[in-house]
Structures are given as structure tokens and as C-alpha cells.
Amino acid sequence: MDDLSHSSSFVAKKDPTLEILKMLGINFGLSVAAGFLAYYLMKQYIPIFIQRKLYGFDQCKSEKLPVPEPMGVIAAAVYLIFMFLFIPVLFVQWIHEEISFPYVRLLSLLSAIISICTAILLGFADDVLDLRWRHKLLFPTLSSLPLLMIYYIAGNSTAMLLPVFVREFLSTTYLDFGFLFYIYMGMLVIFATNAINIIAGINGVEVAQGLVIGASIATFNIIQIFRLEHSLTWYQGLSLCIIGPFLATSIALYILNRYPAKVFVGDTYCYWAGMTLAVVGILGRFSKTLMLFLVPQVFNFLYSVPQLFHFVPCPRHRLPKFDSEGTKKLSMSLVQFKATDLGLLGRLFVWLFSTFGILYKREFMKDDERWIEVNNMTILNLILKFTGPVYEYQLTYFFVIIQLICSIVAFIVRFYIARLFYEVVN
Amino acid sequence: MDDLSHSSSFVAKKDPTLEILKMLGINFGLSVAAGFLAYYLMKQYIPIFIQRKLYGFDQCKSEKLPVPEPMGVIAAAVYLIFMFLFIPVLFVQWIHEEISFPYVRLLSLLSAIISICTAILLGFADDVLDLRWRHKLLFPTLSSLPLLMIYYIAGNSTAMLLPVFVREFLSTTYLDFGFLFYIYMGMLVIFATNAINIIAGINGVEVAQGLVIGASIATFNIIQIFRLEHSLTWYQGLSLCIIGPFLATSIALYILNRYPAKVFVGDTYCYWAGMTLAVVGILGRFSKTLMLFLVPQVFNFLYSVPQLFHFVPCPRHRLPKFDSEGTKKLSMSLVQFKATDLGLLGRLFVWLFSTFGILYKREFMKDDERWIEVNNMTILNLILKFTGPVYEYQLTYFFVIIQLICSIVAFIVRFYIARLFYEVVN
């Protein structure tokens, strides 16, 4: 059910309504203000972070100077302040309409803010306390419960339109995943909150991910607002309104975090960004399209599985190696282990990855035993396998280009390839 | 409007419904579990806090050992987890009723959680970063906007029933404060979030306030559930459900924070507790009764005004003085200044307070100038003025007794004295 689909607020089919344009205009203005405020406040808090001993050391620089961390918490706080101001702006027009008040819309927004706020709290606590893994998985799962419940209350579909050629086999047009779809959304939330955190550690790379994926979502929202029926556009607009200030505050953070980094973003930014992306995907009913934007993150996760689950030995840090004496460039970081240390699955993964050419592998003899050396299984090391040693800022650029290409491919898949399988593309 | 007042869920007037009793039963069970979980997790995190250098030193002990701080963040996180689990439990019964779904109730609860979650984030950031005052005031104000907006949407009254003898003068029974009432609620939120933070610094005193005020609110809610018409009881029940797990996790924290403190609660606890109390007061429509429970905090604030606004010199710390060499007891901390340093208002306050016997004052000559010595203006120092030096745990007890007496007086005022001015007491 869309709780206002019968209202007169919307003018004509496929026309972006004045309402939505007005709301986007205000949002844009406030977003710009939020970006400037975030930049100004972060600059102010740099000495305070140093004074409170909240800093890390840049692993990829010759000079080890303290860099304030987690500065993401300031950007996130500004973001929240902005959202609190924006809620009344968005809903004041209906405030006297007891019957036609869009309760479900407000519920959706509030539950989204709860998830985002909780992710910020979790990230900040993780930065300060180094939380345990099981606590880090439990918290975002539970904090997304309100969001999923309201998805249910709103009567959103959990059915998937089947591709034309599959329909014949299953003799049905839609496949209703029901409860499984909620499991999927819960997993999406957990995945997204951690996805950005895994590709981290070189200047600018975390915020760059947030910016590219966020901008892709915003572009998608804008396309959909102009393409879709009126009853669906509001949630696309809402998604855009949640992403707008996120992009603005992220840009402010990026300016300080890009090479050479004056601040570090911390887990706070990664969790905040991941949760914001997941939440708009669910709210805007495009969680499957979102997965297309997250392909580099999904790839990185799958590529990391052998080390994350310890089928292959995993050192504490898997960052690319910085040559602080010589070239000042980054190269793949490597891990060495005895061939006999690998179990069956470990051997399988190493064979599979090296056969497909996505793993550097060298065998050598030491103390009469066969040793194996492979690169640490992260997308950043994989890029370095192909490019050879590069400067830190170059590595970030290469990664951003990959993320951008994936977004472009995602749009092609979403709007053109999908035509081959469905007669109508939403 | 109460969005379910016409539903059949409620049986008879003045009977607490089965619905509410069931919801309270589940809440009670989950609260107990939350209390145990909080205790267990806090014990686990004690060494982690020390390792991460998150600790303070106890000013009122001879041995200066590091005490983990802010442990309130763990209790608060468990509280949030509990609330996330409880939301679906509370609303699952209506989940298929599109028309009669109590949207406003769910909105109220979600906006309450947003305010509470934001207060926890603010408190934790303040513990770690020592935020500036203006940032600390801005954040809770904005985070309570959704709550106040939903108070408006719910069509709650902003009118006050006038005492009988006033009605004649004003020729009206109700006085509608309109927008002013929202200003009042906003101020209540700011006041409450900071109220507990001001009476702090000796073992157990912060949590003890939270416990006494929280228990008073719970008692008030239970009385009202049995007394009131059915349409009003649900929000009393909701208030009880928000306070229940707060009390349980606070008890767990109190066990570790009482004299001699194994952990410190931090600003995190103070903001969390203050916001939770304010939020239930607003949600349960008893914000004026809440002020009666907060009398010691209001008194402490008014008593502190001369120092807070620097009419009287204010040292950085105003904690009672610990005699670490001799008696191991606490006595009033004092501040000395030249008589000529006081402005007009400063002289007025010192004269007023000492005339009423609530300020220790000594005058003496130094370097041919007249100096004045007074106690720091906090309720803890005032207690010590009357009791003389006592042990730390005794001071906490004295304060708790005062808080308890105020609660008892509050109940008498609320239910008996009010009869003298109103013909009906709600």
C-alpha cells in the first residue's frame, strides 16, 4: 500500500510532481549548508582530537605523524543534525491532515534514522573500544528490525518478477520470497555496514566508495523520479533526500581525507556510509539494484573469504606494503606459509585463484620444506598485482575507476540488459 | 486524538486491559534478561576499557587506581538492543490491520528511541572528546524535534487545566499554551539531559538518581494504568515499557558503580538517563509531574546559577574535598575570592543564600584586603554543610534519601494537594 496514492497531491502519471521538486530543492540547499558546516567543524576539531589522543599513524608515509581519527563522527553528527531539521520540513505540509497524514512515510524515515544513528554509535564505539566481531554483527541486525517491520507494514512486495524464460518452467510470473526476502534485506544491512570497512586503509578510499556508490544511487533516484508512476516516486525522492546530505558531508570529509590525509575517517564513517546506503536501498525499493553498485565490495568479500575464514593464513594487517626507504610506492603485501599448513579448502582456493590469474603465487624451499607465498586476498592487493608498485594516490584512483566502471555497467544491466529478460523494466 | 480509542482492544473503563498486562509481562521478562546481559558484558569490557586507556581516576580515594569510564555506554547499548527487540513484540498484534494500525503510537516510540539513541551518541562523544557547550545544547534540542512533531500530530493537548480559584479571574477552565508548551517541552529535554550530569562525581550518585526518578515514574505509571480511562493507559504502559529496561540495566550498572566504584558511568549514562526520563514524561503526558520528581535537580541547578553564570567565581572542579591523609572523609569544597571581585548580582546571591542558611560564608583579611570564602554551590556541598564531613558512601546515601523524600512529596502533591485546586485529578 502506498498511503497517499489516492491523494490529490500528485498531478499526472510520470510527471515529477511539484511537491517532490520542492522537497528536493530544500534538501539540496540544506545539504550544501551541511557540507560547509561539516568542513568547518572538522577543521575545528582536528587539534581537539590530537589533544584527546584520538589519532592513528599513516602506515603508507615515511614520516609517522599523528592523524586525527575517527573524524567521520563529526561529519556523521552534522548529517544527523541536518536530518533532524529536515524531517519537519518534509512533513509540515500534512501536519493538519489527521486522516490523510502519510504515517507510513514518516515511520519509514524515522526507522531509517534509527538504523543510521545506531550504525554511527556502533562505529564510534568500535573506533574507541575495538569491539568484538559478534557484537558488531548483532547490533546492526537488531537496529534494522524497525525498518524491516515498517517495510512489512507498508505492505511492500517481497515478490520478484521472474525473467520471461524462467516463467515457463515455474508456471508463474512472480515468485514470492516472503520471509526469505526479509532475511535477504537483513543480510544486506549487515553486508553493507561492513563492506566499506573491508576496503580501507589507504588515503581517501573509504569516502571515495561512499561518494561513488552514493552518487550512483542519487542518479538512479533521479532517473526513476522522471520515469516511474507517481505512487512510487515519493520513496525515490526520500532516498534522494537521505543521500543528498550524506554526499555533501562526505565531500567535506573527502577533502580532508584525500592524499595526503589530514584526517582519518575511522570505522565510524564506514558503518555510517554502509548503513545509509543499505537503508535507502530498502526504503527506495531498489535493494537488488543496490547490489549491482556494490559489485566491487561483493567481489572483495568473496575474494577475502579464504583468509577471513582462515582456510589460508591471514596476517593481522593486509594493507599493501609501503616502501618507505626506496620508491615510496605501494606494492602487494604477501603472506608466506608451509604448503602443509593448507587444508583441502585452502589448497582449492589457492589453485582456483591462481589458475584464473587473480592470485600472485610463488613456491620456494626453506629448511627442506615446501613454502608458498601468495598476496593477501584484498581487491587493493589484486589491483597492485596487475599494475605493479604505484603511489598511494594512484591506487585510490585505480580503485575509484573500477568502482565507477561497475556503476556504469550496473546502469546498463539495470535498464538495458534487463529488457532482454523482462517485457517491462521498472 | 488517540488512534485506537475506538477499537475493541480495550474492555472496560478503568480496567487495565489484558493487552497492557501482557505487554508489561513480556517487557518485565526481557528487562530482567537485559539487566543480566548488561552486567555480564560490563564485567567483560572492564579489562578492554583499561587496555584502550578509557579510564579515569577516583578523586575521592587515597589510592589513585584507573577506573574504566564511560561504562554507561555498554549498559546503554544493551538497552538499545532490548528496545529494538521489543518494538516488534509490541506491535506484531496489529501488523495485519492496515486501517486500525496504531501508527501514531509506533511513531511516538520510534521518535523516543531516536532521541535516546542520539543522547547516548552525544554522551559517548562528550566522554571521549570533551565537546563544547554550544554543541552539547544544540544536539539534544534538534534530536527531540521528531518527538515534539509527533506530539503535535497526535493532537495532544497543550492546554493546562486551571486551578479552580484561578478560573474566576481568567473566566476560562483551560489555558492553552500552544506553541509555548512545545518550547517548555524542548527546554525540559535540554534540562533533563544535563540535570543528572551536574550532580555527579561521587560513587553511585548518577545511577542512584536515575534509579530513584525512574522508579518513581514507573510507580506513577502503574498507578495511572489502574486509575485512568482506557484511552490514556496505553501511553502510561509505553512509558513503563521504556523505563523498565532502563531500570534493569541501571541496576546492573549501579552494582559496579556503587562505593567503592569498579567502573565510572561517564557522561554517556547521564545523557542517556536524562533523555530517557524526559522522553517518557513527554510520551506519557506527565511532563509536569516529572518536574516534581526532578525537584532536587532543579534546586541544584538554581543553586548553581551564580557559579554557572560566573556571578560568583567558579573553579574548574566543584566536587566535595577528600581528606586523603587524615579522616578519609569528604567535606565541602570552598572557593575564595576578594570581596571586590563580586559584582552586584554576585553580592546579592551570596547575601541571599547565606541569609537563608544555605551557604557557608567566612570573611577574612589578606594583604589588607577583605576576602570571602564560600562553599561551591552544589547540592552535594550543601548536604555536607549540614552534616559535616562524612564518608563518600554516606554522602551518596544522604542524597538518595533526599531524592526519595522528594519523590514521596511529589506523589502527595500530585494526588492529594491537587484535589484542593482541581475538582478532578487525572
Side-chain angles (χ1 to χ4, degrees):
Chain A
M1 149 197 93
D2 184 82
D3 46 316
L4 258 198
S5 51
H6 48 79
S7 115
S8 60
S9 311
F10 297 104
V11 188
K13 205 175 159 179
K14 292 207 183 187
D15 261 9
T17 65
L18 201 66
E19 241 84 350
I20 287 180
L21 288 182
K22 205 172 108 192
M23 131 185 165
L24 293 180
I26 295 172
N27 187 282
F28 182 79
L30 284 173
S31 294
V32 172
F36 278 103
L37 179 64
Y39 183 76
Y40 166 80
L41 277 181
M42 284 189 286
K43 292 271 265 189
Q44 269 206 330
Y45 269 96
I46 286 177
I48 299 175
F49 273 60
I50 298 287
Q51 196 187 331
R52 308 283 173 228
K53 299 205 168 47
L54 286 172
Y55 52 72
F57 292 98
D58 201 327
Q59 300 303 315
C60 304
K61 302 285 182 298
S62 307
E63 274 185 290
K64 295 279 176 281
L65 293 172
V67 181
E69 183 179 15
M71 199 49 86
V73 75
I74 304 293
V78 173
Y79 175 80
L80 282 179
I81 286 175
F82 166 91
M83 290 307 292
F84 293 140
L85 282 173
F86 187 64
I87 299 170
V89 170
L90 195 53
F91 286 92
V92 75
Q93 54 181 315
W94 290 296
I95 208 150
H96 292 290
E97 299 177 35
E98 195 178 304
I99 304 300
S100 65
F101 189 93
Y103 294 111
V104 175
R105 292 179 178 184
L106 183 52
L107 280 171
S108 304
L109 180 54
L110 293 192
S111 61
I113 290 176
I114 287 179
S115 296
I116 293 170
C117 187
T118 313
I120 297 167
L121 181 60
L122 178 74
F124 191 49
D126 193 27
D127 275 319
V128 175
L129 282 169
D130 275 324
L131 300 174
R132 287 155 192 216
W133 262 103
R134 57 174 182 279
H135 301 162
K136 283 198 271 192
L137 292 184
L138 183 70
F139 214 55
T141 321
L142 293 174
S143 81
S144 62
L145 276 182
L147 187 72
L148 299 186
M149 192 177 79
I150 286 150
Y151 192 88
Y152 186 89
I153 293 171
N156 283 304
S157 168
T158 53
M160 211 176 101
L161 185 65
L162 291 174
V164 175
F165 65 91
V166 180
R167 289 179 205 168
E168 291 167 34
F169 293 103
L170 298 176
S171 3
T172 171
T173 315
Y174 286 94
L175 188 60
D176 191 351
F177 287 91
F179 189 67
L180 284 179
F181 196 74
Y182 288 91
I183 302 279
Y184 159 72
M185 289 190 290
M187 308 256 294
L188 173 67
V189 166
I190 299 176
F191 175 74
T193 0
N194 290 288
I196 290 177
N197 212 8
I198 309 186
I199 310 177
I202 61 169
N203 293 176
V205 80
E206 302 93 345
V207 192
Q209 291 172 73
L211 283 174
V212 176
I213 303 169
S216 306
I217 290 176
T219 311
F220 178 74
N221 291 151
I222 291 171
I223 295 174
Q224 293 295 67
I225 288 173
F226 282 91
R227 280 181 72 243
L228 286 186
E229 294 177 54
H230 58 70
S231 70
L232 292 167
T233 48
W234 197 85
Y235 282 100
Q236 296 288 337
L238 181 64
S239 162
L240 197 49
C241 288
I242 295 175
I243 279 293
F246 168 73
L247 287 176
T249 46
S250 290
I251 290 170
L253 189 55
Y254 182 75
I255 293 169
L256 294 168
N257 180 238
R258 70 182 166 187
Y259 182 91
K262 291 185 200 70
V263 307
F264 286 153
V265 300
D267 296 339
T268 314
Y269 179 79
C270 300
Y271 289 167
W272 165 41
M275 183 61 97
T276 305
L277 300 174
V279 151
V280 296
I282 292 171
L283 272 188
R285 290 93 177 97
F286 57 89
S287 58
K288 281 160 288 172
T289 306
L290 175 63
M291 286 311 285
L292 295 177
F293 297 137
L294 289 174
V295 161
Q297 284 68 30
V298 173
F299 174 82
N300 185 64
F301 173 69
L302 295 176
Y303 187 55
S304 293
V305 159
Q307 285 196 309
L308 289 183
F309 292 95
H310 294 281
F311 303 134
V312 171
C314 182
R316 217 178 117 65
H317 293 289
R318 303 191 300 162
L319 266 184
K321 203 173 65 194
F322 176 63
D323 181 2
S324 61
E325 304 299 316
T327 62
K328 313 278 181 200
K329 287 185 176 179
L330 298 180
S331 56
M332 288 183 285
S333 66
L334 306 167
V335 57
Q336 297 183 340
F337 45 86
K338 287 181 207 163
T340 51
D341 283 352
L342 282 190
L344 183 66
L345 276 170
R347 266 177 289 161
L348 181 69
F349 278 118
V350 168
W351 172 79
L352 200 71
F353 286 178
S354 54
T355 304
F356 280 97
I358 56 170
L359 189 72
Y360 165 87
K361 183 182 159 196
R362 185 174 74 91
E363 296 194 13
F364 60 98
M365 297 299 288
K366 195 164 87 176
D367 304 331
D368 279 340
E369 283 192 282
R370 198 163 63 90
W371 281 64
I372 299 176
E373 181 180 63
V374 297
N375 62 283
N376 282 309
M377 295 156 179
T378 69
I379 196 167
L380 296 178
N381 284 315
L382 182 59
I383 294 173
L384 290 168
K385 176 182 183 299
F386 291 111
T387 61
V390 296
Y391 292 110
E392 186 180 6
Y393 70 91
Q394 290 177 309
L395 182 56
T396 306
Y397 283 148
F398 287 138
F399 178 77
V400 170
I401 289 168
I402 291 174
Q403 185 90 49
L404 272 173
I405 292 172
C406 286
S407 281
I408 293 167
V409 172
F411 277 105
I412 296 171
V413 170
R414 178 65 179 74
F415 289 117
Y416 293 96
I417 310 286
R419 280 191 212 281
L420 305 179
F421 304 111
Y422 302 96
E423 65 272 35
V424 184
V425 175
N426 272 336
Chain B
M1 150 197 93
D2 184 81
D3 47 315
L4 258 198
S5 52
H6 48 78
S7 116
S8 60
S9 312
F10 297 103
V11 190
K13 203 177 164 180
K14 292 208 181 183
D15 261 9
T17 65
L18 202 65
E19 241 84 350
I20 287 180
L21 288 181
K22 205 172 108 192
M23 129 185 168
L24 293 180
I26 295 172
N27 186 282
F28 182 78
L30 284 172
S31 294
V32 172
F36 278 103
L37 179 64
Y39 182 76
Y40 166 80
L41 277 181
M42 284 189 285
K43 291 272 265 189
Q44 269 205 330
Y45 269 96
I46 286 178
I48 299 174
F49 273 61
I50 298 288
Q51 196 189 330
R52 307 284 171 228
K53 299 208 168 45
L54 286 172
Y55 52 72
F57 293 99
D58 201 328
Q59 301 302 315
C60 304
K61 302 286 182 298
S62 307
E63 274 184 289
K64 296 277 177 279
L65 292 173
V67 181
E69 182 177 15
M71 198 49 87
V73 75
I74 305 292
V78 172
Y79 175 80
L80 283 179
I81 287 176
F82 166 91
M83 289 308 292
F84 293 142
L85 283 173
F86 188 65
I87 298 170
V89 170
L90 195 54
F91 286 93
V92 75
Q93 54 181 316
W94 290 296
I95 209 153
H96 292 290
E97 299 179 35
E98 196 180 301
I99 305 299
S100 64
F101 189 92
Y103 295 110
V104 175
R105 291 179 179 184
L106 183 52
L107 281 170
S108 304
L109 180 54
L110 293 191
S111 61
I113 290 176
I114 286 179
S115 296
I116 293 170
C117 187
T118 313
I120 296 168
L121 181 60
L122 177 74
F124 191 49
D126 193 26
D127 275 319
V128 176
L129 282 169
D130 275 324
L131 301 174
R132 287 154 193 215
W133 261 104
R134 57 175 181 278
H135 301 162
K136 285 198 269 191
L137 291 183
L138 183 71
F139 214 54
T141 319
L142 293 174
S143 81
S144 62
L145 277 182
L147 187 72
L148 299 186
M149 192 177 77
I150 286 150
Y151 192 90
Y152 186 87
I153 293 170
N156 283 303
S157 167
T158 52
M160 211 175 100
L161 185 64
L162 291 174
V164 176
F165 65 89
V166 181
R167 290 179 204 168
E168 291 168 34
F169 293 104
L170 299 176
S171 0
T172 172
T173 315
Y174 286 93
L175 188 61
D176 191 351
F177 287 90
F179 190 66
L180 284 180
F181 197 74
Y182 289 90
I183 301 279
Y184 159 72
M185 288 190 291
M187 307 258 292
L188 173 67
V189 166
I190 299 175
F191 175 73
T193 7
N194 289 289
I196 291 179
N197 212 8
I198 308 186
I199 309 177
I202 61 169
N203 293 176
V205 80
E206 302 93 345
V207 193
Q209 291 172 74
L211 283 174
V212 175
I213 302 169
S216 306
I217 290 176
T219 311
F220 179 74
N221 291 150
I222 292 170
I223 294 174
Q224 293 295 66
I225 288 173
F226 283 90
R227 280 181 73 243
L228 286 185
E229 292 177 57
H230 57 70
S231 70
L232 293 167
T233 48
W234 197 86
Y235 282 100
Q236 297 289 337
L238 181 64
S239 161
L240 197 50
C241 288
I242 295 175
I243 280 293
F246 168 73
L247 287 177
T249 45
S250 289
I251 290 170
L253 188 55
Y254 182 75
I255 293 170
L256 294 169
N257 180 238
R258 70 181 166 187
Y259 182 90
K262 290 185 200 70
V263 307
F264 287 153
V265 299
D267 295 339
T268 314
Y269 180 80
C270 300
Y271 289 167
W272 165 40
M275 184 60 97
T276 305
L277 300 174
V279 151
V280 297
I282 292 171
L283 272 188
R285 292 91 176 96
F286 56 88
S287 57
K288 282 160 288 172
T289 306
L290 174 63
M291 286 309 286
L292 296 178
F293 296 138
L294 290 173
V295 161
Q297 283 69 31
V298 173
F299 173 83
N300 185 66
F301 173 69
L302 295 177
Y303 187 54
S304 294
V305 158
Q307 286 196 308
L308 290 182
F309 293 94
H310 294 281
F311 303 135
V312 171
C314 183
R316 217 178 118 66
H317 293 290
R318 304 192 299 160
L319 267 184
K321 203 173 66 193
F322 176 62
D323 181 0
S324 62
E325 304 299 315
T327 61
K328 313 279 180 198
K329 287 184 176 179
L330 298 180
S331 56
M332 289 181 286
S333 67
L334 305 168
V335 55
Q336 297 183 341
F337 45 86
K338 287 182 208 163
T340 50
D341 283 351
L342 283 189
L344 183 66
L345 277 170
R347 267 178 288 161
L348 181 70
F349 278 117
V350 168
W351 172 79
L352 201 70
F353 286 177
S354 54
T355 304
F356 280 97
I358 56 170
L359 189 73
Y360 164 88
K361 182 182 161 196
R362 186 173 72 92
E363 298 195 12
F364 60 97
M365 297 300 287
K366 196 164 86 175
D367 304 330
D368 280 341
E369 284 194 279
R370 198 163 63 89
W371 282 64
I372 299 176
E373 181 180 64
V374 297
N375 61 286
N376 282 309
M377 294 157 181
T378 70
I379 196 168
L380 295 178
N381 284 314
L382 183 59
I383 294 173
L384 290 168
K385 175 182 184 301
F386 290 111
T387 62
V390 295
Y391 292 110
E392 187 180 5
Y393 70 92
Q394 289 177 310
L395 181 56
T396 306
Y397 284 148
F398 287 138
F399 177 76
V400 170
I401 289 168
I402 290 172
Q403 186 91 49
L404 272 174
I405 291 172
C406 286
S407 280
I408 293 167
V409 172
F411 277 104
I412 295 171
V413 169
R414 178 64 178 76
F415 290 116
Y416 293 96
I417 310 286
R419 278 189 213 282
L420 304 179
F421 304 111
Y422 301 98
E423 64 274 33
V424 184
V425 175
N426 273 336

